[in-house]
Amino acid sequence: MHLEPAAFETEVESRKHRTRKVHPAPGRIPSDIWATLGTQPSILRAAGSLLNVVDTVLDDTALNGFAIIRPPGHHAHPDYPAGFCFANNVAIAAKHAVAQHGLKRVLIVDWDIHHGDGSQDAFYEDPRVCYISLHRGEFKFYPEGTEKFASSTGAGAGSGYNINIPWQQGGMTDGDYITAFLRLVMPVAYEFAPELVLVSCGFDAALGDPLGGCCVTEVGYGIMTRMLMTLAGGKVVLALEGGYKLEMISKCAGSVVRALLGHEPEINLVPLAPSLAGLMDIKSALDAQRSIPNSPWKSLKFYDGNSVDYDATFSTVQTPGNLPNKESVDSLVADLDSLSAK
């Protein structure tokens, strides 16, 4: 959409008062999306760049890869754009891997702080693609609605292949994310045995991000990347999604690239103990999966959430009352920056 300056100002004013529709009218771009003359070429380059990385990995020319692309994609639905996303790069890559390379099992892990509603929509009934998302799950947190809840587990043949781990508050740390990986993400991933792992790699859960409100460090992202590299013979492809603090985007991107190159993550200065709130959110996600009739995940059948004493599981567990606040986050960022400078 190209607008002359006067028309552009009118459009800006109208969008300030427009209620966002879940399904925009045909031909209209929703109010959280802006487009210029260069948007369409950017969309094609972003999706095409990721497909090139996927082809390179699946052709055994490279073991893994990281597509640093813009615009992002995981909010884009098959029939409309949303949330700064026009084309769902990772969903397109997964479809490409299945259709063009004949893959039967593709795993998508989405650790962007916002739920990838577009990715979920694309594969909700497809057992060939297992979608696992870790995100803020409060109803009013973008994208609004109940689709991001743990109860959204897939439908039809895809029942159980959609896994949401929604945090019901901010402040989640490396310990919360890694515990979610150990208790739910990796058991399912090993059982699914993917032939390719795609990561919707948003860095807006990172420490100090102004929108995400969480506390994952670059070391945490490196650890999660290394864990995923044990799958699919190491065929792991990351695609950049969200992130709103440039300094942390660069630090976290550097950390995952080092992990992809085979380097072990640096020593984590932050305790890896999960919060009590995080444990309860993980339990809710586990319970949602265990309640599915004929669940595909035998590895989760032996998990009895009711037998876990969450108050005593970790001696250093963080309770909701002492989750990191703004002052402690700012102090931790300063400490990490000073160490990096040395």
Side-chain angles (χ1 to χ4, degrees), residues 70-89:
R70 281 289 183 264
H74 72 153
H75 294 307
H77 291 253
D79 54 346
Y80 66 95
F84 312 144
C85 303
F86 292 88
N88 195 321
N89 306 308

Side-chain angles (χ1 to χ4, degrees), residues 213-236:
C214 286
C215 304
V216 181
T217 71
E218 61 268 31
V219 178
Y221 285 112
I223 293 172
M224 291 189 289
T225 302
R226 290 290 287 170
M227 293 173 77
L228 293 177
M229 288 170 63
T230 64
L231 303 166
K235 296 183 184 296
V236 178

Side-chain angles (χ1 to χ4, degrees), residues 6-313:
F8 180 81
E9 292 177 5
T10 301
E11 178 70 12
V12 169
E13 191 61 30
S14 69
R15 290 191 179 202
K16 289 180 181 178
H17 308 290
R18 184 187 305 161
T19 301
R20 178 179 177 271
K21 298 179 180 179
V22 176
H23 291 273
R28 286 295 293 173
I29 296 177
S31 57
D32 56 0
I33 290 284
W34 293 93
T36 70
L37 292 176
T39 298
Q40 184 177 9
S42 297
I43 296 168
L44 297 176
R45 289 191 184 101
S49 295
L50 179 56
L51 293 184
N52 184 54
V53 176
V54 168
D55 287 341
T56 301
V57 169
L58 292 180
D59 291 341
D60 293 321
T61 305
L63 179 58
N64 53 50
F66 184 14
I68 303 175
I69 52 178
R70 281 289 183 264
H74 72 153
H75 294 307
H77 291 253
D79 54 346
Y80 66 95
F84 312 144
C85 303
F86 292 88
N88 195 321
N89 306 308
V90 168
I92 292 170
K95 295 267 189 180
H96 174 76
V98 170
Q100 299 300 318
H101 290 273
L103 269 58
K104 297 179 180 179
R105 297 178 306 280
V106 176
L107 172 66
I108 298 176
V109 175
D110 188 339
W111 62 47
D112 189 283
I113 198 62
H114 302 94
H115 179 239
D117 49 330
S119 299
Q120 174 173 291
D121 189 14
F123 302 110
Y124 203 65
E125 299 184 20
D126 191 343
R128 297 171 299 179
V129 178
C130 179
Y131 176 70
I132 305 178
S133 177
L134 304 93
H135 54 269
R136 290 278 294 270
E138 303 98 317
F139 183 86
K140 287 293 185 180
F141 199 85
Y142 188 89
E144 293 186 13
T146 62
E147 290 81 6
K148 58 177 175 278
F149 289 1
S151 55
S152 295
T153 57
S159 181
Y161 291 89
N162 193 89
I163 301 175
N164 287 328
I165 306 174
W167 310 119
Q168 296 306 313
Q169 61 286 305
M172 297 295 101
T173 66
D174 292 351
D176 294 301
Y177 275 77
I178 292 170
T179 300
F181 262 60
L182 292 172
R183 292 198 172 194
L184 180 50
V185 177
M186 296 307 295
V188 166
Y190 280 123
E191 189 171 353
F192 184 58
E195 299 165 281
L196 173 69
V197 178
L198 297 171
V199 181
S200 278
C201 181
F203 292 127
D204 41 8
L207 181 69
D209 187 275
L211 295 188
C214 286
C215 304
V216 181
T217 71
E218 61 268 31
V219 178
Y221 285 112
I223 293 172
M224 291 189 289
T225 302
R226 290 290 287 170
M227 293 173 77
L228 293 177
M229 288 170 63
T230 64
L231 303 166
K235 296 183 184 296
V236 178
V237 175
L238 287 72
L240 187 62
E241 296 281 3
Y244 305 94
K245 185 174 183 180
L246 292 178
E247 182 181 3
M248 284 306 292
I249 293 175
S250 63
K251 286 183 177 180
C252 296
S255 181
V256 301
V257 169
R258 286 192 293 272
L260 291 172
L261 291 172
H263 299 284
E264 294 296 334
E266 299 175 4
I267 296 175
N268 198 326
L269 301 177
V270 182
L272 291 180
S275 64
L276 178 58
L279 284 171
M280 298 306 295
D281 293 337
I282 295 167
K283 176 183 181 299
S284 295
L286 282 162
D287 289 343
Q289 289 297 317
R290 284 166 47 84
S291 68
I292 300 171
N294 301 316
S295 169
W297 312 124
K298 296 180 181 178
S299 58
L300 302 183
K301 291 182 179 179
F302 303 101
Y303 171 84
D304 182 5
N306 294 323
S307 68
V308 178
D309 182 354
Y310 284 94
D311 290 319
T313 301

